[in-house]
Amino acid sequence: MHQHRIIIVEDDGVTRLMLQLELQQAGYLTIGVPDPQTALDFLRQTHFDLLITDLDLPSMNGLQFISAARGLVPQIAVIILTATASLTTAVAALNQQVQRYLLKPMATDAVLQHVNTLFAQPARIAEARQPYQTQHSVPSHDAIIQVGPLRIDLSRYRVTVACNGEQIALSHGEFELLHYLATHRGRVVSAQAIAHDVLHYPCSTQEARDLSKSRIHTLRRKFAGHACTANLITNVRGAGYRLLDDDEIEYCCSY
């Protein structure tokens, strides 16, 4: 069984050691380093599955460091743990497909829960910037969510349009947002719920609106090229967003 490797980049020695001990006790192979240059040296030599990093780092901006780390290990998952959260860095982190954006102070056992959640869903740790290549295995019925013309394959991390079989290529963040909307289809999902449950970003009401609006807009652009999916996500003024339920979209397309 694969033992996941985690690298922690944190210049505060106490925080770094506490995180390292918590993750090691949970069975993860974990090292902690105080600066990004040391981390990059490790990444050149050894494969890591997860990077946990602060944004305020010596010698390099945290977002620049994440980009450099992904240049060495493109599929590495990333958790940001910062005391200086802002809407600007949150948007930038989301654009870099960061899996978690967490606010300090956070108990080490809470960080461990986020790590466990990521590794419990291995198909969703890898970035999905490129379309998934078809495999020969057949997904189980429970791994498929059908919403009108959309077929969401959770085991293959793939979304296709039922009426023509065409695949819609989604990033990790876009897939997670669609999955969340699909599991709540027909119901209104607030911007705060999206920010908390999907983007994992602690923020004000206005920040939640701005972040969610940006993510929804990006997802809608992916749907816009298909007549039967273009209007699947609706705005509910002052409340949030809805993914239409099957009985509302049957007329859009004969799938």
Side-chain angles (χ1 to χ4, degrees), residues 119-247:
F119 286 134
Q121 302 173 3
R124 300 182 191 177
I125 293 175
E127 291 303 311
R129 297 188 179 95
Q130 300 299 325
Y132 184 89
Q133 300 299 315
T134 303
Q135 296 179 357
H136 295 296
S137 59
V138 177
S140 68
H141 178 73
D142 291 341
I144 301 294
I145 298 178
Q146 187 81 36
V147 182
L150 280 185
R151 178 182 169 89
I152 306 169
D153 187 338
L154 303 179
S155 65
R156 294 180 174 180
Y157 209 84
R158 182 171 63 181
V159 178
T160 53
V161 183
C163 47
N164 58 21
E166 187 173 345
Q167 183 173 333
I168 301 177
L170 301 182
S171 70
H172 171 90
E174 292 159 0
F175 188 92
E176 288 295 319
L177 176 55
L178 176 60
H179 182 205
Y180 186 76
L181 291 172
T183 57
H184 296 80
R185 59 187 179 274
R187 289 177 281 167
V188 177
V189 176
S190 69
Q192 291 91 332
I194 291 174
H196 181 271
D197 297 338
V198 182
L199 307 181
H200 306 286
Y201 175 61
C203 57
S204 68
T205 300
Q206 186 57 52
E207 287 176 330
R209 288 173 182 162
D210 292 341
L211 283 172
S212 299
K213 182 179 179 180
S214 173
R215 295 287 97 182
I216 292 288
H217 176 71
T218 301
L219 189 57
R220 279 175 169 159
R221 276 209 318 259
K222 295 292 181 73
F223 290 166
H226 307 272
C228 55
T229 64
N231 300 309
L232 286 180
I233 302 173
T234 65
N235 286 9
V236 180
R237 188 176 179 85
Y241 305 93
R242 288 177 68 243
L243 183 66
L244 298 183
D245 211 343
D246 289 347
D247 59 351

Side-chain angles (χ1 to χ4, degrees), residues 9 33-44 58-60 65:
V9 186
V33 297
D35 62 86
Q37 294 299 338
T38 303
L40 291 174
D41 288 340
F42 273 104
L43 290 170
R44 290 186 185 98
S59 76
M60 186 181 296
F65 165 59

Side-chain angles (χ1 to χ4, degrees), residues 40 65-76:
L40 291 174
F65 165 59
I66 292 170
S67 179
R70 285 258 173 83
L72 296 172
V73 188
Q75 303 302 325
I76 195 169

